Amino acid sequence: MTSSHLRSDFVARAILRQSAQDGRSAMLLRKGDPDAGSILVLLQERDGSTVVLSQTRTAEGEAAWLRASGETPLTPEETALYIERQTRFDPDIWVLELEAPGFRPPFEATLV
């Protein structure tokens, strides 16, 4: 789905569109640099717990997603702190929030 040649704004819009197709909530929380901003995807359960995916690459150089928040889902407070730290580190970052039962990405994604 993502390629080194695709602009961040295009990728973010595509993820939001693909995620909302089945009526799930899909929101843009933070707009980053349109050309090269990295993208964080918050996969959120109904109870508010969240898993954060971050863009990465496979060993072959293909676009992929990494479970950046670790094995244990984050609470809403932990999620807010995580996003705050990431935006201080990278002010060009995009943040997308998606309703995702079972923390399964509702868009085409390679997970590593």
Side-chain angles (χ1 to χ4, degrees):
M1 159 130 191
T2 58
S3 164
S4 60
H5 303 292
L6 296 177
R7 291 170 40 114
S8 297
D9 59 346
F10 176 80
V11 173
R13 285 193 315 267
I15 290 170
L16 291 171
R17 257 192 320 276
Q18 191 175 8
S19 300
Q21 283 181 345
D22 62 358
R24 293 185 195 179
S25 174
M27 297 181 288
L28 172 64
L29 299 183
R30 187 171 199 287
K31 190 174 185 178
D33 182 87
D35 293 316
S38 59
I39 300 173
L40 289 181
V41 174
L42 311 180
L43 300 178
Q44 193 169 62
E45 274 281 0
R46 291 184 189 265
D47 67 359
S49 58
T50 303
V51 166
V52 180
L53 299 182
S54 177
Q55 290 178 304
T56 191
R57 295 277 172 189
T58 66
E60 296 78 29
E62 297 295 319
W65 295 90
L66 174 70
R67 192 170 173 156
S69 56
E71 290 300 314
T72 305
L74 303 176
T75 65
E77 295 79 17
E78 292 169 328
T79 302
L81 289 171
Y82 185 92
I83 299 305
E84 183 182 326
R85 281 192 310 269
Q86 294 304 310
T87 55
R88 273 195 313 242
F89 177 73
D90 181 3
D92 294 329
I93 202 164
W94 292 74
V95 181
L96 312 178
E97 181 182 88
L98 312 176
E99 183 181 346
F103 303 112
R104 288 184 308 275
F107 60 95
E108 188 179 319
T110 300
L111 298 175
V112 293

